[in-house]
Amino acid sequence: SQQGEEDPQALSIQEGENATMNCSYKTSINNLQWYRQNSGRGLVHLILIRSNEREKHSGRLRVTLDTSKKSSSLLITASRAADTASYFCATDARSGKLIFGQGTTLQVKP
Amino acid sequence: EAGVAQSPRYKIIEKRQSVAFWCNPISGHATLYWYQQILGQGPKLLIQFQNNGVVDDSQLPKDRFSAERLKGVDSTLKIQPAKLEDSAVYLCASSLIGGDRGTQYFGPGTRLTVL
């Protein structure tokens, strides 16, 4: 079953703009992770935020986590055409078992 | 460092045939995962191995799917017999350790089409 639900399902922006994707989940978690998937390729791990953390940064990525609302957001600043991909949130409730959401498809136009 | 290797990259079979996928994880990674990703959806965990033991196979359709990880390294996933709804990308991932400290590294996947 899918635990995380991403919003929006699709997002189209111009290069240089910021992109924000949201993820909601249903049960308690140990951590939440974001992955990127380019068309026809495997998933690449972007960032992991633990349940006791509220915000984390990695380069142009900023992730927030609100466990009271069971939600997370991924912000990509100053987007580039190379950021075009699908982005998935995945929750880890126990033992490293990840439950993925449906994903947000991001298109960055040059 | 070499990544997770999978083969074949693409496979087309007819329903009721059998198929096998192979995965070679990153060297030293104790935990190996197989996921099924249907078009337009996120990956769904089928089975998780810790070394050569099964940690979680609760979502593996055991009447037709089987997986093994001999010697705690390579793994194979088999479908027999295949159904139309098995058309998907099968992703293998590995991590150094299990639990929430193990970032998962994914292979390129095998795209299966069942006709």
Side-chain angles (χ1 to χ4, degrees):
Chain A
S1 62
Q2 302 278 346
Q3 149 122 288
E5 292 189 7
E6 283 95 339
D7 171 62
Q9 289 190 343
L11 181 61
S12 181
I13 59 174
Q14 293 294 135
E15 206 165 26
E17 293 181 338
N18 296 341
T20 300
M21 289 159 260
N22 302 298
C23 169
S24 61
Y25 57 92
K26 298 174 184 174
T27 63
S28 297
I29 61 172
N30 286 332
N31 66 67
L32 184 146
Q33 304 179 32
W34 285 90
Y35 285 81
R36 182 186 73 227
Q37 185 175 39
N38 292 89
S39 179
R41 303 185 69 175
L43 283 84
V44 174
H45 180 266
L46 295 177
I47 198 164
L48 180 153
I49 186 165
R50 302 193 190 286
S51 59
N52 61 353
E53 298 176 310
R54 291 297 167 258
E55 187 171 312
K56 206 161 183 181
H57 296 254
S58 177
R60 294 183 296 112
L61 306 180
R62 172 177 169 257
V63 169
T64 62
L65 179 64
D66 186 334
T67 53
S68 66
K69 295 181 179 179
K70 291 186 169 59
S71 67
S72 173
S73 68
L74 171 67
L75 168 67
I76 305 174
T77 59
S79 63
R80 305 166 182 168
D83 295 328
T84 294
S86 292
Y87 291 81
F88 294 90
C89 70
T91 53
D92 180 353
R94 59 174 178 80
S95 303
K97 176 179 178 178
L98 292 181
I99 300 177
F100 284 82
Q102 302 262 23
T104 292
T105 300
L106 172 66
Q107 182 185 28
V108 181
K109 299 174 185 176
Chain B
E1 177 182 82
V4 176
Q6 290 188 248
S7 68
R9 290 294 311 277
Y10 305 91
K11 190 73 177 178
I12 300 174
I13 62 172
E14 306 224 336
K15 60 183 179 184
R16 290 187 289 274
Q17 286 186 322
S18 62
V19 64
F21 312 125
W22 173 82
C23 173
N24 180 237
I26 293 173
S27 177
H29 280 197
T31 308
L32 185 147
Y33 313 81
W34 282 102
Y35 290 87
Q36 179 193 59
Q37 185 177 22
I38 292 172
L39 186 64
Q41 298 183 16
K44 181 184 80 172
L45 180 69
L46 293 175
I47 189 167
Q48 176 183 348
F49 292 95
Q50 182 83 13
N51 295 309
N52 60 350
V54 175
V55 174
D56 188 330
D57 64 356
S58 58
Q59 298 209 83
L60 187 73
K62 299 180 186 64
D63 57 333
R64 298 183 301 106
F65 286 65
S66 64
E68 61 182 7
R69 190 182 185 198
L70 298 176
K71 301 180 181 178
V73 181
D74 292 6
S75 177
T76 56
L77 176 70
K78 297 179 181 177
I79 307 175
Q80 182 179 8
K83 293 185 176 181
L84 296 177
E85 59 261 36
D86 298 331
S87 293
V89 175
Y90 291 85
L91 296 162
C92 179
S94 69
S95 65
L96 190 57
I97 51 178
D100 66 356
R101 292 169 291 167
T103 296
Q104 295 186 23
Y105 297 85
F106 283 79
T110 296
R111 184 177 298 275
L112 174 67
T113 302
V114 182
L115 303 175

